[in-house]
Amino acid sequence: MAETPGYILEIKHLDYSYDNRNNVLTDISIGIKKGEKIAVLGANGAGKSTLFLNMNGVYNSRSGEIFFSGTKITKKNINTLRKNVGYVFQEPDSQIVGTTVLNEVSFGLVNLGLPESEIQKRTIGILKEMGIYNYKDKPPHYLSGGEKKRVAIAGVIAMQPEIILFDEPMASLDPGNSLMFENILSKLESEGKTIIISTHNTDFAYKWADRIIVIENGSIIADDEPVKIFTSDEILKRANLEKPMLLQIYKIINKKYGKDLNNYDNAPKSINEFTKWFNHL
């Protein structure tokens, strides 16, 4: 099967099983364009993390094909996928292996075989950017959960992958670290990175993503723009997802003013958009 032009990453009819009998992922087909912002939604155990581990080459699919920038991924060139698709785990402790923050962030760069001068430049730069430079000589396990997450993110960003996968990145983050993460996303977006985020936070997904993929029991049940996903009661019920708060308020106000409840053409995606919309009623 040939790759489809225009995709930086394409998955075709992928199946994955841990025991070679029961599929965790079944017939997964996704085409991802450079610069897309995609949120992957689904209940715990739906297969989101397993999908990510296939997307970056940690797991090998039972069947199906993966293409990166038009090249089919095989055992011989699997490192192409691992180098270009970075993965930030949900739990930093599952990812961090360095004895100090500095060692941890530079670990991937050393494995890439980069010159020492480039390793130092990237490592120090990202430590400062992430606000963790003062912790560079500390063992990571002494840091708070939010600080550990910053370290894990820094280690992946330092490798400058084309695609970055974030698995529940805002879970257990306080407001300050959540804002920090959103600022990181903005910078990565401005650099043209392709970002895919697994999340249970429908408010964030609705506000941030330009595409939503919904997974249930290892299969994709929906793939569309956010407003179409979050206004489908059938999809929300099937995947046990909450309608974003802004859409709930939007519908309540439209009902009060006697407007078309099924017209979401002007539905706001942020507080600023909501304020402008409300002031023009």
Side-chain angles (χ1 to χ4, degrees):
M1 220 178 282
E3 57 88 24
T4 305
Y7 293 135
I8 186 172
L9 182 68
E10 185 175 20
I11 299 170
K12 290 194 171 188
H13 305 294
L14 182 145
D15 292 340
Y16 184 80
S17 171
Y18 289 108
D19 59 11
N20 290 321
R21 294 192 302 273
N22 303 300
N23 279 355
V24 179
L25 299 175
T26 302
D27 197 26
I28 298 290
S29 293
I30 306 171
I32 297 165
K33 296 179 180 179
K34 182 175 175 59
E36 278 198 289
K37 301 185 298 180
I38 300 173
V40 180
L41 306 181
N44 288 334
K48 303 186 300 297
S49 297
T50 304
L51 173 60
F52 279 11
L53 289 165
N54 275 270
M55 292 171 87
N56 85 326
V58 172
Y59 289 170
N60 294 316
S61 61
R62 184 178 183 181
S63 63
E65 297 175 311
I66 298 178
F67 296 87
F68 180 82
S69 290
T71 299
K72 182 178 177 179
I73 298 301
T74 65
K75 290 183 179 180
K76 291 183 178 180
N77 64 359
I78 190 69
N79 284 335
T80 298
L81 202 61
R82 294 170 181 168
K83 178 181 177 181
N84 287 286
V85 183
Y87 181 21
V88 179
F89 287 67
Q90 178 178 352
E91 296 296 335
D93 289 328
S94 301
Q95 184 164 359
I96 293 174
V97 296
T99 55
T100 67
V101 170
L102 185 68
N103 288 341
E104 173 61 31
V105 175
S106 63
F107 179 78
L109 301 177
V110 172
N111 286 340
L112 288 177
L114 297 178
E116 181 62 28
S117 58
E118 179 65 16
I119 293 173
Q120 287 293 319
K121 178 183 176 181
R122 287 199 201 180
T123 303
I124 298 303
I126 195 64
L127 288 174
K128 290 180 177 178
E129 189 176 311
M130 297 290 295
I132 50 176
Y133 178 76
N134 291 338
Y135 305 143
K136 69 181 189 303
D137 297 320
K138 282 190 174 183
H141 66 268
Y142 284 141
L143 304 180
S144 69
E147 290 163 348
K148 287 180 182 178
K149 189 153 283 191
R150 291 192 190 201
V151 172
I153 292 171
V156 171
I157 292 177
M159 296 176 69
Q160 299 180 356
E162 289 295 320
I163 300 171
I164 304 179
L165 312 174
F166 291 97
D167 196 350
E168 292 290 346
M170 303 178 80
S172 73
L173 289 185
D174 58 33
N177 277 308
S178 294
L179 179 60
M180 173 275 303
F181 177 69
E182 292 195 38
N183 290 335
I184 291 170
L185 288 182
S186 294
K187 184 175 186 300
L188 293 173
E189 291 158 20
S190 70
E191 295 171 353
K193 299 296 184 184
T194 305
I195 305 171
I196 306 173
I197 295 178
S198 162
T199 182
H200 287 101
N201 188 332
T202 55
D203 289 321
F204 168 76
Y206 173 64
K207 176 181 70 172
W208 172 78
D210 49 34
R211 178 180 171 192
I212 303 284
I213 295 173
V214 183
I215 297 181
E216 181 192 37
N217 294 326
S219 297
I220 294 174
I221 63 169
D223 183 351
D224 214 326
E225 59 184 285
V227 72
K228 291 184 178 179
I229 296 292
F230 291 126
T231 55
S232 170
D233 292 336
E234 179 184 352
I235 292 173
L236 295 179
K237 182 178 181 180
R238 184 174 171 183
N240 196 26
L241 298 173
E242 290 188 355
K243 189 186 293 287
M245 185 65 69
L246 277 179
L247 280 181
Q248 293 185 48
I249 297 172
Y250 176 80
K251 191 165 185 176
I252 291 170
I253 293 175
N254 273 343
K255 184 176 181 180
K256 179 178 176 61
Y257 282 84
K259 296 182 179 294
D260 183 359
L261 297 182
N262 295 313
N263 182 2
Y264 291 93
D265 291 344
N266 298 313
K269 297 186 70 175
S270 67
I271 293 298
N272 286 339
E273 288 183 10
F274 177 84
T275 302
K276 291 178 182 177
W277 169 79
F278 186 75
N279 287 337
H280 283 87
L281 284 176

